[in-house]
Amino acid sequence: MTEATPPQQLLQSVDDSDIEFLASGTLERRRDAAASSRGAAAAEGSKAERQFVYRRNADYDSLIEACSRKLAVQHGNTRVLMIRANSYAKTGMLEAAFADYSAVLAAEPAAVDALYQRGSTAHKLGQLQAAIADFTAVLSLDPNHAKAAYSRAACNNLAGQFDDANADYEKALAMDATLPNRRRFNGSLGATTPGSKSVGSLGSLPASPAASSASLPRAPPSQHTAAYQRQIQLEATPSSGSAGAGQQRHARKSSQTEAVPAVSHFSIAAVLKPRGPAGAAAKQQVAAGGGPTQPVAATGRQQQSQQQQQQLVPGQHLRQVSIDVDATLRVQQRSSDEACTSGRHGPGGSPWTQLPAVHARLASLSLHDCGVASVPLEVSSPLRGSASSRGSSIRGSDSSGTLAGVAATMLGAQPPESRGPASAQVGASAQRSSSQEQAARQLTADEHHARGYSLRKRGDFAGAVREYTAALAQCPRHFKSLFNRAFSLDKLGNCSAALADYEAALALDPSSSCAHYNCGIVRDRLGDYAAAVACFSAAIELEPGNADFYHNRGFSYRKMERYEDAVADYSMAVQLNPSHSKALYNRAVALERLRRHEAAAADYSAVLQLDPDNAPAWQNRGALWLRLGRLEEAVQDLGRAIELDGGAAAAWHARGEANERLGQGEAALADLQRACSLEPSDPAFLRSLGLALRGCGQHKQAVSVLGKLLEAQPDDEAALQARGFCLRKLGSYAAAAQDFSRLLELGHATTRAYNSRAYCHASLGRYAEAVADYTEALKLDPHNVHAFFNRGISHDKLGDPAAAVEDFSSCIALDPGNAVAFYNRAAALDALGQYERAVADYRAALDAEN
């Protein structure tokens, strides 16, 4: 097998061969390791059937970007326009697809495939007359175009032109019965656009069974293609000719971003790919019909529908504090349920089933905790009428799977192959009421599921839950409906119901690593961290090469305060994916908890090498430097964090503390005030600002700030101590005494607290209470000069000069140069009539002052 052009070269020069490569796929023989990873039983079942894997070379969004680059240079390249138009149609961007098809037809008016595809797009847009005109043009150019006849019949039916619809159906049935297999429409009327070809076909290849019905399953893109997709996402810009379409695509992507709290994260787009044979083997698959069944053939068009990718565009909060990971995984379904799908293969069908895409977004890290709250993986839905849902999309049909048989069933007739002379008359009569029967037909489980998926993509999770529930009412073992209803319930915040659905899905398919993983995320949100760890461990056992599984188990370990286990899992995630920024980030947080500060700083530095604009990493490393006393580095890192995210209150707060310790009082106050303005009720921010104001002598402002804190936390000891001090300085002794009394009631019995309350008592003339408090202070600190001196003053005020002399003498013994103590002892001795000693103390006081 020849090696494809490296993605870097594709980016530099996008030529026709590159576009053709991206629009096609690669057939690879399955490796033995891929089958062995599922276990012996599963391996035996797969060896006989699944010998090859068909891998798409690019997702539709990347293909659109590549085509836009090409068209920026060659505006009239109709081949590339067709590829981009088909890609737009596959991703639901119908207006852009219609515009590109029209551009092709402006250059080549007789292009049958472009006419047919534009008609199908107009049909989807509800422009029935325009669609009929295009299908009519197709039939004028190619009278044997059965698909155009069927499609025009459907449009006539919707437009209420029932006679024309019946005539077209008759023509299509006759045409389909006589044409060779390669021209028959092998699909279901449930499909919105019957028979649309693969993106890269451009109508140049016949829709033969080999090319469509028997197409092999799509597998994840190869590594070089995934790298190209990532570079396209980061670098590609749409051409001026597709500005409107680019805006639509940007809006569609932006709508998928969420306020990932703050755990979370950064602006790097990462694509998780299977790593080696074991990784590919561990991918999971789900039959589109939901019920486990015999493998059903999948057409190239249908495989592309199921392979649509959701691209994540970083929003403001995502860029600052989150990393979004687009993880393309697979979900496997092994059990069988004949009630959901018929399990029949169409003509030229294939025993291989589709591998629907699964997308993951891992949500956010908090600026304070820096954890990761992950978003579950989700299973993509194929369009109605896809190969994997064909068995259940037509209820009660015994047709072989051709469009002729499907249309006959919809019209109440038998398939052409089984109609005899008598039954033909009945069929002709039934066709006249086809529209009434079609309207009365009950939706199948697959159709409800497809509608639910469409609602979920638009953000209507409640509506999606209703459709998935309707699907499960018809088919209780519909795996994808269970899985996706759980995803939608989780989005609605109903974690308990989501958990129940994931567990039901696992009962159907215990080998689904995605279901185990999502189950772990929900259990983590419910606070059942041990159970979450068990779920993540089960997912790891099934898919040991998935870095995210280790990362999220590490996050649950961290919440359990099992920091060593968390570090081990984060390290394994980094080993599997060295650019896994979140694993590096959260390992740094866990290392901080273990007081391994240097290692934590190294991990933060590694994150910043990968993502220089990661504000939380700058902030956390700056806070780490602050704890280590490296204040200048702290101010620098925190300043960078503030430049990237001016609303990060924690960064302002930490820089304020660093500036205060550096003696930059005004800068410190400015930073702390900014933090409080961003988060006015944060206790830590209010406390720091209050203490800074007290230190600057702004006692009145400090009392106001600390009062707000104490309203929320009446027993905050630091705030009581600081406010009492400021009130005392302001002369509000009674209020200050109350703060000190509350502080002592809380058990904060310190020398400073007793001295402070005693001073307030003495200032209020309550000398007995002052003596008592000074005595308690001296019990705690027998050498406290301040307590001896002030108790002596209080004794003197109480008329006890002898006790005063004793306290002043103790003070002088501890501080022989205390002139005020000599002076006050002299006054007390004078009151006792000991004049000679009093005169001596007066002289000693004068000597001490000089």
Side-chain angles (χ1 to χ4, degrees), residues 449-481:
H449 175 266
R451 290 173 62 171
Y453 179 75
S454 178
L455 290 168
R456 185 187 59 68
K457 284 187 70 177
R458 296 199 298 266
D460 185 1
F461 298 108
V465 168
R466 287 193 295 271
E467 291 295 337
Y468 293 139
T469 301
L472 291 167
Q474 293 189 32
C475 180
R477 295 172 63 84
H478 199 289
F479 179 92
K480 289 181 69 180
S481 290

Side-chain angles (χ1 to χ4, degrees), residues 36-117:
S36 63
S37 67
R38 294 195 179 92
E44 291 176 2
S46 63
K47 285 178 181 178
E49 295 184 353
R50 302 195 56 161
Q51 300 298 320
F52 297 92
V53 173
Y54 189 71
R55 301 183 184 275
R56 285 187 51 206
N57 292 329
D59 61 72
Y60 293 119
D61 286 319
S62 298
L63 189 53
I64 288 169
E65 296 290 358
C67 289
S68 298
R69 284 172 173 248
K70 180 67 174 178
L71 291 169
V73 179
Q74 296 180 358
H75 300 286
N77 191 320
T78 55
R79 177 189 176 102
V80 177
L81 276 169
M82 276 297 295
I83 293 177
R84 189 173 73 174
N86 288 333
S87 300
Y88 278 142
K90 294 296 184 181
T91 55
M93 300 174 65
L94 302 180
E95 293 83 358
F98 190 92
D100 276 357
Y101 289 134
S102 298
V104 173
L105 290 169
E108 300 179 10
V112 172
D113 192 54
L115 277 168
Y116 177 78
Q117 297 295 352

